[in-house]
Amino acid sequence: NIPNDYSGVMLLDLLNEQGFEGVYNLVYLPMDYHRKAGFGYAFIDFASTAEAQRFRDRFEGFCDWGLVSHKICNVSWSDALQGVQAHVDRYRNSPVM
């Protein structure tokens, strides 16, 4: 869970500030363009399982968003898709891409 008011730039800045710059291949933050708000979650593909686990250790329970929000981050593994190519294939023809 991440704040619905978070933008893609804000999420990338947060990842980089928390020490994850250069260790992810893909960050996808679904947005509702009519409301101009996020859906409250993101997909992040990391370069290695070790980096993904480090992210989970750092962000599980995270709540220091830099803006007013009651959201507490819950990190989960994707059961359906793994790897950047699987995500590109899945979202290639999405109307929001």
Side-chain angles (χ1 to χ4, degrees):
N1 297 332
I2 61 175
N4 297 72
D5 294 335
Y6 242 55
S7 69
V9 170
M10 292 169 75
L11 180 57
L12 292 174
D13 287 346
L14 178 67
L15 292 173
N16 296 340
E17 289 166 6
Q18 295 294 317
F20 293 93
E21 185 170 6
V23 300
Y24 49 85
N25 301 311
L26 172 80
V27 176
Y28 175 52
L29 179 66
M31 301 291 289
D32 179 336
Y33 291 102
H34 296 291
R35 293 185 315 120
K36 297 185 178 165
F39 289 117
Y41 64 92
F43 297 103
I44 304 171
D45 183 74
F46 288 93
S48 70
T49 303
E51 291 297 345
Q53 185 59 54
R54 185 171 72 88
F55 174 85
R56 180 181 229 171
D57 293 344
R58 176 67 185 102
F59 276 91
E60 184 64 35
F62 184 88
C63 60
D64 187 17
W65 302 109
L67 52 77
V68 176
S69 175
H70 292 90
K71 293 257 182 139
I72 298 172
C73 188
N74 179 291
V75 179
S76 60
W77 300 112
S78 173
D79 292 328
L81 300 173
Q82 289 291 321
V84 70
Q85 190 59 50
H87 284 90
V88 168
D89 292 345
R90 163 66 175 88
Y91 293 104
R92 173 176 285 130
N93 296 318
S94 171
V96 298
M97 296 303 274

